Amino acid sequence: MKLGIIGLGLIGGSLGLALRSRSHYVIGISRHEETCALAIQKGIVDEASVDFSVLSAVEVIFICTPIGAIIPTVEQLKPILSPDTILTDVGSVKAPIVEAMTPLWSNFIGGHPMAGTAQQGIEAAQLDLFTGTKYVLTPTENTPVEAQKTLTAIVQDLGTELITCSPETHDQTVAWISHLPVFVSSSLIASCVQETDREVVTLAQKLASSGFRDTSRVGGGNPELGVMMAKSNQKAVLRSLRIYRQQLDKMIHAIEEEDWEQVERMLGETREARSLFTTKK
Amino acid sequence: MKLGIIGLGLIGGSLGLALRSRSHYVIGISRHEETCALAIQKGIVDEASVDFSVLSAVEVIFICTPIGAIIPTVEQLKPILSPDTILTDVGSVKAPIVEAMTPLWSNFIGGHPMAGTAQQGIEAAQLDLFTGTKYVLTPTENTPVEAQKTLTAIVQDLGTELITCSPETHDQTVAWISHLPVFVSSSLIASCVQETDREVVTLAQKLASSGFRDTSRVGGGNPELGVMMAKSNQKAVLRSLRIYRQQLDKMIHAIEEEDWEQVERMLGETREARSLFTTKK
């Protein structure tokens, strides 16, 4: 098939490599001429341009821009495309995007490939980034059946495990497993910073080891990414944060009351429960 | 030197291997005959017994029992020892132990080797468990200078970095870097368990990846260990938990108010701060 990719960063670039390796013809779009040249040079795309008009005849377009640019991109793109072009995005939040897209472009399915690396940008693009990962599609009752079928086939052909759910289910799920951990972890670091005893601070920095390192890792990540999560998934993130605070309060209360049986029961339950989230990898 | 080790688990067993490799003569004590036999067989000790009387002539004794058994052990041991025997422990909390030991045995220094593995017990003992790790000693104004000098030499000879601080500084430090993360992480799992939408729960278990896995790791650990932290370090743990809750509330408030600049500032500060806790490894 003839496919388009808008935004040639880590995800767009890796998609290009993977799709071309499956014999698709890939046209890439970047805002920067140098990125276009690099994408061709690295074999990520067959052609590349800064101009949307090259996409007029493609069958499916993957919009791989940052979340905030998805809707403006489609508004710009709209006059160029034939109505049977299928659009999809790779944003990590789905409900607001699907909602804004519905009046704009009917032949659209929200998507979220659950893949990534610590590196960003076209230089980090990898042929096998998606192999063995999960790829979420969030069709609604308005999604054309043919569009869903076509996209499903392309995505599964990349060696991904396809998961289909509603945009709302997706967003509450990522609030729990991806967004809440960021704010929980960030608050851990923020609280240590409040320590006023300089000797304790110095010693803590010296003695912190794997437990602290792991628990604080995602809280030490890219602040723009964290803001994007809170902003675009505000409702679900706040719901998770409030339930989290209740559980934290329950633990604080048990320790205050010296109810050690209760503390042990709670920790026993979380040990059990954690295995459900970590054994299917 | 002639040294004693009471409790031949991971720490006691590894100490035995390391001390013998430095030409010390090591006598081990376990409650179980089989552990004594195994310790001799594995070269962890030169002799082993279930009877404290074999320790009457040693110069230094490492008490490597669980925290709750340290004081009862010393009470039993006291009639056997000459007053110049140096006692030390390896408990992960120091102030309550040092306080209880002071009237019992003057020739005592609290210790905490910052080493461990996921495995427990004598079978997990390793010769080089302490190499390159930090070893905290918590002398007080009552600690005999000679005792501190002797223990310092033994511990440094194992290839550890010696750190000296007050018992209180130690306990507040481990509350931040070791105990708080457990309760923060456990509450993350506990909150996910509260989700009532079965589809979200199933999907969350399916999609949870490295971010969730790392942030929840120490909360999925041994419940008895968590209770020990809360119980034996209650004051410092509660202080850290309350400061943590304040920081969490500040984050929740900023997201509620849609104060994205504030969210970005807070996440930016924690990214900066985290590097201070993780670069010195």
Side-chain angles (χ1 to χ4, degrees), chain A residues 15-269:
Chain A
L15 262 179
L17 289 169
L19 292 169
R20 286 191 74 228
S21 80
R22 267 77 176 178
S23 305
H24 295 292
Y25 186 87
V26 178
I27 305 177
I29 300 283
S30 168
R31 280 171 307 163
H32 307 290
E33 294 279 7
E34 317 88 78
T35 308
C36 292
L38 197 59
I40 292 170
Q41 187 201 315
K42 284 175 150 308
I44 286 171
V45 295
D46 294 282
E47 344 170 0
S49 172
V50 294
D51 185 351
F52 285 168
S53 64
V54 293
L55 295 177
S56 60
V58 303
E59 295 163 82
V60 180
I61 298 175
F62 291 84
I63 304 165
C64 304
T65 66
I67 281 196
I70 295 174
I71 301 303
T73 296
V74 175
E75 279 163 345
Q76 256 188 285
L77 204 56
K78 211 178 153 174
I80 296 157
L81 304 180
S82 92
D84 53 353
T85 310
I86 300 165
L87 297 189
T88 186
D89 74 316
V90 297
S92 56
V93 172
K94 298 272 56 87
I97 294 169
V98 172
E99 205 175 306
M101 282 295 285
T102 302
L104 260 180
W105 197 260
S106 63
N107 225 357
F108 171 78
I109 311 180
H112 181 197
M114 308 291 282
T117 66
Q119 280 81 48
Q120 295 292 313
I122 191 167
E123 298 284 4
Q126 294 170 21
L127 172 62
D128 60 352
L129 186 70
F130 303 103
T131 314
T133 64
K134 278 123 182 160
Y135 202 113
V136 183
L137 289 181
T138 61
T140 65
E141 49 181 19
N142 303 315
T143 307
V145 176
E146 272 308 308
Q148 187 176 342
K149 250 167 99 174
T150 304
L151 200 55
T152 296
I154 296 173
V155 158
Q156 284 183 327
D157 189 39
L158 300 183
T160 66
E161 179 186 344
L162 185 82
I163 289 167
T164 304
C165 66
S166 72
E168 293 72 23
T169 296
H170 170 275
D171 289 357
Q172 186 60 64
T173 301
V174 294
W176 284 122
I177 59 161
S178 169
H179 303 173
L180 177 61
V182 167
F183 301 107
V184 160
S185 175
S186 160
S187 298
L188 172 64
I189 307 167
S191 65
C192 295
V193 170
Q194 301 303 308
E195 175 60 65
T196 48
D197 184 330
R198 293 310 305 164
E199 208 190 334
V200 170
V201 174
T202 308
L203 194 59
Q205 291 173 356
K206 207 161 186 167
L207 295 185
S209 67
S210 61
F212 187 85
R213 210 150 53 228
D214 282 0
T215 319
S216 68
R217 184 174 67 80
V218 295
N222 184 338
E224 291 82 39
L225 214 63
V227 172
M228 178 282 291
M229 294 169 179
K231 201 168 169 176
S232 59
N233 201 17
Q234 188 190 17
K235 207 182 115 201
V237 166
L238 278 176
R239 177 170 173 268
S240 292
L241 272 167
R242 288 177 186 132
I243 295 173
Y244 176 78
R245 182 167 53 184
Q246 282 170 10
Q247 295 303 311
L248 184 76
D249 282 345
K250 209 172 139 187
M251 182 60 87
I252 293 175
H253 186 71
I255 298 176
E256 282 171 343
E257 298 294 311
E258 310 194 350
D259 186 349
W260 309 126
E261 278 180 31
Q262 167 73 351
V263 173
E264 187 162 348
R265 195 161 42 238
M266 290 166 77
L267 292 173
E269 281 166 15

Side-chain angles (χ1 to χ4, degrees), chain B:
Chain B
M1 288 174 81
K2 209 167 176 181
L3 307 176
I5 298 175
I6 303 178
L8 300 172
L10 169 70
I11 298 293
S14 300
L15 262 179
L17 290 169
L19 291 169
R20 285 192 74 229
S21 79
R22 267 76 175 179
S23 305
H24 294 292
Y25 187 87
V26 177
I27 304 177
I29 299 283
S30 168
R31 278 172 306 164
H32 307 291
E33 294 279 8
E34 317 86 81
T35 309
C36 291
L38 196 60
I40 292 171
Q41 187 200 314
K42 283 175 152 307
I44 286 171
V45 295
D46 293 283
E47 341 170 5
S49 173
V50 293
D51 185 351
F52 284 169
S53 65
V54 294
L55 294 177
S56 61
V58 304
E59 293 163 83
V60 180
I61 298 175
F62 290 84
I63 304 166
C64 302
T65 68
I67 281 197
I70 295 174
I71 301 303
T73 297
V74 175
E75 279 163 346
Q76 257 188 284
L77 203 57
K78 209 178 155 177
I80 295 157
L81 304 180
S82 92
D84 53 352
T85 310
I86 299 166
L87 297 189
T88 187
D89 75 316
V90 298
S92 56
V93 172
K94 298 272 57 86
I97 295 169
V98 172
E99 205 175 305
M101 282 295 286
T102 302
L104 262 181
W105 199 261
S106 62
N107 224 358
F108 170 79
I109 311 181
H112 182 197
M114 308 291 283
T117 66
Q119 281 81 48
Q120 294 293 313
I122 192 167
E123 298 285 3
Q126 294 171 21
L127 171 63
D128 60 351
L129 186 69
F130 303 103
T131 315
T133 64
K134 278 123 183 160
Y135 202 113
V136 182
L137 290 181
T138 61
T140 66
E141 48 180 19
N142 302 315
T143 307
V145 177
E146 271 309 306
Q148 187 176 342
K149 250 167 99 174
T150 303
L151 200 56
T152 297
I154 296 173
V155 159
Q156 285 183 327
D157 189 39
L158 301 183
T160 67
E161 180 186 343
L162 186 82
I163 289 168
T164 304
C165 66
S166 72
E168 293 72 24
T169 296
H170 170 275
D171 289 358
Q172 186 59 64
T173 301
V174 295
W176 283 122
I177 59 161
S178 169
H179 303 173
L180 177 61
V182 168
F183 301 107
V184 161
S185 175
S186 160
S187 299
L188 172 64
I189 307 167
S191 65
C192 295
V193 171
Q194 303 302 308
E195 176 60 64
T196 48
D197 184 330
R198 291 311 304 164
E199 208 191 334
V200 170
V201 173
T202 308
L203 194 60
Q205 291 173 356
K206 208 160 184 167
L207 296 184
S209 67
S210 62
F212 186 84
R213 212 150 52 228
D214 283 0
T215 318
S216 68
R217 184 174 67 79
V218 296
N222 184 338
E224 291 83 38
L225 213 64
V227 172
M228 178 283 291
M229 293 168 178
K231 201 168 170 176
S232 59
N233 201 17
Q234 189 191 16
K235 208 183 114 199
V237 166
L238 278 176
R239 177 171 173 265
S240 291
L241 272 167
R242 288 178 186 132
I243 295 173
Y244 176 78
R245 183 168 52 182
Q246 282 171 9
Q247 295 304 310
L248 184 76
D249 282 344
K250 209 172 140 187
M251 182 60 86
I252 292 175
H253 186 73
I255 298 176
E256 282 171 343
E257 297 295 311
E258 309 193 352
D259 187 349
W260 309 126
E261 278 179 31
Q262 167 74 353
V263 173
E264 187 163 348
R265 195 161 42 237
M266 289 166 77
L267 293 172
E269 281 167 15
T270 58
R271 177 166 65 174
E272 286 289 303
R274 181 172 184 265
S275 65
L276 300 174
F277 289 87
T278 52
T279 49
K280 293 176 186 166
K281 293 289 107 56

